[in-house]
Amino acid sequence: MATIRDVAKLAGVSVATVSRVLNNNGNVHKSTKEVVQAAITTLNYRPNEIARTLYKKNSRLLGLIIPDITNPFFTELARAIEDTAHRYGYTMVLCNTDEILEKEQHYMEVLKQRQADGCLMITNEKATFLDEELGIPIVALDRPIHSHIPFIQADHYQGGKIAAQTLLQKGSTQLVHIRGPKYLDSAEARYQGFLDVVEKEKISYHIFESSFQPRNDEFLINNIFERFPEIDGVFAANDVIAVSVLKTALHRGISVPEDLQIIGYDGILFGQLFYPSITTVAQPIYQLGKQAVQMLINLIEKKETEQKICRLPVQLVERDTTRKE
Amino acid sequence: MATIRDVAKLAGVSVATVSRVLNNNGNVHKSTKEVVQAAITTLNYRPNEIARTLYKKNSRLLGLIIPDITNPFFTELARAIEDTAHRYGYTMVLCNTDEILEKEQHYMEVLKQRQADGCLMITNEKATFLDEELGIPIVALDRPIHSHIPFIQADHYQGGKIAAQTLLQKGSTQLVHIRGPKYLDSAEARYQGFLDVVEKEKISYHIFESSFQPRNDEFLINNIFERFPEIDGVFAANDVIAVSVLKTALHRGISVPEDLQIIGYDGILFGQLFYPSITTVAQPIYQLGKQAVQMLINLIEKKETEQKICRLPVQLVERDTTRKE
């Protein structure tokens, strides 16, 4: 394999000049640059990235620390993040934590050792991960970590309001919200949005809490239908719960959307494959991932970040679990 | 941050001895080892992984090159691969190619530059990626690359046979197989398994080809029902197609499984959320990912790999789109 010395020799310049061309810094005359680039092409020279990392202190590795890639919201987010990282010349390391603190800490350790340039993180451990401690830039995704760590999420409060308003506008009068765990700010905000609408409109409602573990939802949902057969509108805190509500309702012979309207949350691709397909409050998942990477790269490259907190709008996607007007 | 020199000083040994303890090679007396380890703990010393890479030529980075993480089969595979890599002390870089050759080549280049230790690859480009060329070990996953590259997949031929036999045993007589693209060996094998059963049993059947792009399937499936209203059994080459067949059938008022039985393929987690839930021929997805990583690490560490080709058994998962006996 060709070395930087071979390139310098063929181009008739010093190694330092080749290095300046490679790193695009320092004054190099245009014609010299062209000769060096021709030599690089001729020799098929590839700079050794590991050596460059030691020299430049820049690994172009980004970490993505998420609970579980098989949660479809995270799957789509990871795809957007990898696409964007790749577009900016970064490589993405994937880390699944199952929301276990030890795993999160271990991965942070690994990223530090690999000299990752930065990290995108979805965690509930607010106090544990502080920017200074880690020594590399972090952007918090969906779940805030600390006021000094830049943070991006969808407007969940607005999402909760939209879901409640839609159910009411389309004629439901007995509502249920199956909310996410209390320790998640994003679940709390959806709940607050829902609550503010139903309280203001003086509508009858019940709140239940899902652990966001699909296996446990089935029992919960059956229990809801047993205890409150009169309910005619459900806002589920994510699409996977909405799908479980749909399945349970159909199994019990309840017509959807005639007797029961269902609105999910997230806007995962899978939602449209069901019959009837799931009406949902969609997060701009791809945009969230893309902007998170851009925020992180701005931090890494020490460019000014315009805002520490970025909140993206959500959008109602009307499909077939709500009634047509 | 503590350096290796600090550790050596505190332990009262040479830097070379600390290095031998860290790398677990060379003869170091048990008591010396303990003193060094105590010094490492006291100083909270972390070896610099990048420097180690240059020295040891071992980055402990693995590449995973797949078409698209949002395909649920690949999602679950990626999870298994990352879990296993992590267990063996490796970090996983995720690369989505959309089956575009230029992207695959680019990622190989990136992995080489980062001095990845090895790569798991799902690609259709048989000739392009040869082990020697790349310079790092590859294991081919699900799709073979070349006879000298170790390869692991599920027994798709057997899977096709099981699907056809199940439909027949449960009373279907007019079968359709919606197969995957012809250029995919794994789709071809499922098709062959199906074909061998229906030909032997002299059963009426039709074959259609899906591009494995969900957006295009809807038109195809409607067309099948228009042209062949008499069909009463469908074997879909993956679960996402099976779900589309289910949706289209229900939309047309066809009872499932009474008038139409459906069997999918893959065994993705989502299949159980539908109503009725999808009967499927399940690949051992987690096991595939796990064994692929183990094969790759064996190659990296130059241990003997017992077999160049590894084929894992598939399994029928009976749910509600097939009739109970």
Side-chain angles (χ1 to χ4, degrees), chain A residues 46 82 107 109 272, chain B residues 46 82 107 109 247 272:
Chain A
R46 267 190 300 269
E82 199 273 310
Y107 275 118
E109 205 57 29
Q272 55 195 304
Chain B
R46 268 189 300 269
E82 199 272 312
Y107 276 117
E109 205 57 30
K247 183 178 175 177
Q272 55 195 304

Side-chain angles (χ1 to χ4, degrees), chain A residues 156-170 172 175-177 190-191 193-195 197-198 233-237 261-265 279-282 314-316 322:
Chain A
H156 297 306
Y157 174 76
Q158 199 56 35
K161 280 184 79 168
I162 290 172
Q165 283 161 350
T166 306
L167 289 171
L168 296 182
Q169 274 162 19
K170 291 173 178 290
S172 292
L175 301 193
V176 159
H177 173 36
R190 292 169 221 188
Y191 161 71
F194 174 88
L195 198 68
V197 170
V198 292
V234 173
F235 167 40
Q261 300 195 98
I262 304 168
I263 296 187
Y265 199 94
T279 293
T280 188
V281 176
V314 296
Q315 195 184 6
L316 180 70
T322 46

Side-chain angles (χ1 to χ4, degrees), chain B residues 253-266:
Chain B
I254 299 168
S255 298
V256 178
E258 293 77 8
D259 298 332
L260 177 74
Q261 299 194 98
I262 305 169
I263 296 186
Y265 199 94
D266 283 346

Side-chain angles (χ1 to χ4, degrees), chain B residues 30 42 60 63 69 144 147 150 156 160 194 199 223 230 245 250 260 262 290 293-294 305 308 323:
Chain B
K30 198 168 161 265
T42 307
R60 299 193 87 79
I69 186 83
S147 61
H156 297 306
F194 175 88
E199 287 282 352
N223 197 262
E230 72 279 11
V245 172
L250 294 175
L260 177 74
I262 305 169
K290 187 177 164 185
V293 172
Q294 288 168 334
T305 44
K308 275 275 188 189
R323 297 194 273 271

Side-chain angles (χ1 to χ4, degrees), chain B residues 161-262:
Chain B
K161 280 183 80 168
I162 290 172
Q165 283 160 349
T166 306
L167 288 171
L168 296 181
Q169 275 161 19
K170 291 173 178 290
S172 291
T173 57
Q174 308 279 333
L175 301 193
V176 159
H177 174 36
I178 304 178
R179 56 163 296 159
K182 288 210 175 67
Y183 61 81
L184 286 185
D185 304 69
S186 57
E188 191 64 23
R190 291 168 221 189
Y191 162 71
Q192 273 301 336
F194 175 88
L195 199 68
D196 285 356
V197 171
V198 292
E199 287 282 352
K200 191 178 160 218
E201 303 287 334
K202 298 189 173 37
I203 296 294
S204 161
Y205 69 89
H206 301 282
I207 305 291
F208 296 90
E209 186 175 331
S210 159
S211 61
F212 275 173
Q213 300 296 328
R215 260 157 252 112
N216 308 333
D217 286 340
E218 207 166 319
F219 179 78
L220 170 70
I221 295 164
N222 265 306
N223 197 262
I224 295 171
F225 284 119
E226 286 294 335
R227 286 175 59 197
F228 305 102
E230 72 279 11
I231 61 160
D232 62 359
V234 174
F235 167 39
N238 68 29
D239 288 334
V240 176
I241 299 174
V243 155
S244 294
V245 172
L246 173 64
K247 183 178 175 177
T248 309
L250 294 175
H251 186 69
R252 297 175 80 93
I254 299 168
S255 298
V256 178
E258 293 77 8
D259 298 332
L260 177 74
Q261 299 194 98
I262 305 169

